[in-house]
């Protein structure tokens, strides 16, 4: 069996039930951090240094409404200890500030590994998923959850657009690709494209049925939204 060239860690924040993902290249030790949470920055940086990694990119899949991103804090802390090479990344369509703004199908390369940006709007108009074709992984942000999906009732959310994003951009990936979402509220950690195509209770429905489901969720207004969204438009500051 060929040894993997990828270092992978899934990290959890209990307050927002959110996942942060650390990916590192075994040979070059360059790394990417996906969807960092401000309150967990010290934890994440400690792990990065323990594993001997050098952070190259810190990426947000979209402008989050339920937590403040750790992107800006990470950059400041690393610069303070002489590690100033890290770049913040977000989609161009998000309209948010970042060092690098990715367009659809552009790639982030770290050593012998790479992530491809795949635009998947619907939860917000700036959502992107990140696909690792080499290792068969996809980081779906709030677009696709384990047996669920992100809400579509704020930040230019659009249920019809989310339905298309999932069916045209994600469900067309190989069935065995592992799906790592930005959140889970039931303790689940991973799923696959094949599982979600077969079992997702919302996205196995017709478009009309899906739109009806999403319009009747009756969810509470996000507690952090009015604080988080403005800060996340400018890297958490």
């Amino acid at each position: 069996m060929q040894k993997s060239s990828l270092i992978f860690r899934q990290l959890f924040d209990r307050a927002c039930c959110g996942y942060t993902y650390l990916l590192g290249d075994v040979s070059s030790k360059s790394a990417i951090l996906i969807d960092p949470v401000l309150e967990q920055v010290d934890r994440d940086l400690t792990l990065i240094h323990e594993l001997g990694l050098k952070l190259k990119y810190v990426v947000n899949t979209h402008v989050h409404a339920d937590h403040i991103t750790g992107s800006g804090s990470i950059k400041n802390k690393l610069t303070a200890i002489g590690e100033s090479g890290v770049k913040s990344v977000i989609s161009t369509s998000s309209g948010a500030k970042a060092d690098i703004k990715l367009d659809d199908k552009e790639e982030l390369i770290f050593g012998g590994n790479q992530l491809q940006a795949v635009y998947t709007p619907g939860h917000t108009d700036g959502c992107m998923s990140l696909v690792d074709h080499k290792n068969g992984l996809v980081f779906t942000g709030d677009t696709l959850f384990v047996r669920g999906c992100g809400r579509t009732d704020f930040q230019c959310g659009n249920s019809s657009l989310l339905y298309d994003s999932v069916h045209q951009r994600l469900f067309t990936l190989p069935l065995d690709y592992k799906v790592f979402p930005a959140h889970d509220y039931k303790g689940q950690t991973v799923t696959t494209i094949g599982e979600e195509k077969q079992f997702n209770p919302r996205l196995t429905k017709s478009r009309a049925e899906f739109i009806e489901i999403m319009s009747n969720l009756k969810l509470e207004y996000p507690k952090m939204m009015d604080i988080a969204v403005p800060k996340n438009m400018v890297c958490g500051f």
Side-chain angles (χ1 to χ4, degrees):
M1 182 180 293
Q2 185 177 4
K3 188 175 181 180
S4 174
S5 64
L6 186 71
I7 297 167
F8 174 81
R9 296 291 187 275
Q10 183 181 43
L11 305 164
F12 186 66
D13 177 72
R14 189 177 301 277
C16 69
C17 293
Y19 289 118
T20 296
Y21 297 97
L22 175 63
L23 287 72
D25 180 70
V26 170
S27 297
S28 69
K29 299 297 184 181
S30 61
I32 288 181
L33 193 67
I34 301 171
D35 288 335
V37 175
L38 179 62
E39 289 79 6
Q40 301 293 348
V41 164
D42 289 339
R43 175 203 65 184
D44 297 347
L45 290 178
T46 295
L47 178 60
I48 288 165
H49 290 137
E50 286 175 346
L51 296 177
L53 298 173
K54 182 175 178 59
L55 193 59
K56 186 174 182 180
Y57 301 115
V58 56
V59 188
N60 284 292
T61 54
H62 63 291
V63 175
H64 300 275
D66 55 2
H67 70 269
I68 298 171
T69 179
S71 297
S73 177
I74 287 170
K75 286 189 62 179
N76 283 351
K77 285 177 178 284
L78 289 177
T79 299
I81 60 173
E83 298 180 20
S84 58
V86 64
K87 302 292 186 184
S88 59
V89 184
I90 202 164
S91 71
T92 302
S93 60
S94 70
K97 179 181 178 180
D99 297 313
I100 297 173
K101 296 182 181 180
L102 288 179
D103 290 321
D104 187 42
K105 298 184 180 180
E106 287 190 327
E107 293 185 339
L108 294 174
I109 297 171
F110 56 114
N113 291 279
Q114 55 273 328
L115 292 176
Q116 183 184 54
V118 175
Y119 274 16
T120 50
H123 169 63
T124 75
D125 54 357
C127 285
M128 66 176 174
S129 297
L130 298 162
V131 183
D132 177 350
H133 289 290
K134 179 179 178 181
N135 297 292
L137 314 174
V138 53
F139 302 89
T140 53
D142 284 17
T143 299
L144 180 63
F145 294 157
V146 181
R147 309 298 190 266
C149 64
R151 60 196 291 181
T152 56
D153 56 338
F154 57 78
Q155 285 182 278
C156 300
N158 184 306
S159 297
S160 182
L161 195 55
L162 189 148
Y163 190 88
D164 285 343
S165 290
V166 172
H167 282 266
Q168 296 174 14
R169 309 304 304 277
L170 298 178
F171 281 0
T172 53
L173 294 170
L175 298 181
D176 62 348
Y177 271 34
K178 292 181 179 179
V179 174
F180 292 96
H183 295 281
D184 189 87
Y185 305 96
K186 297 180 180 179
Q188 301 171 105
T189 58
V190 62
T191 182
T192 66
I193 293 295
E195 283 181 53
E196 295 311 309
K197 286 183 73 171
Q198 185 175 359
F199 300 119
N200 192 295
R202 297 177 183 176
L203 289 155
T204 50
K205 301 292 194 295
S206 70
R207 178 195 300 274
E209 290 172 318
F210 176 74
I211 292 171
E212 180 70 15
I213 290 169
M214 298 304 289
S215 65
N216 288 287
L217 292 179
K218 297 181 173 62
L219 298 172
E220 293 183 359
Y221 189 80
K223 295 180 177 64
M224 285 288 294
M225 183 169 174
D226 293 338
I227 298 171
V229 170
K231 288 181 177 289
N232 290 337
M233 290 296 292
V234 288
C235 285
F237 295 118

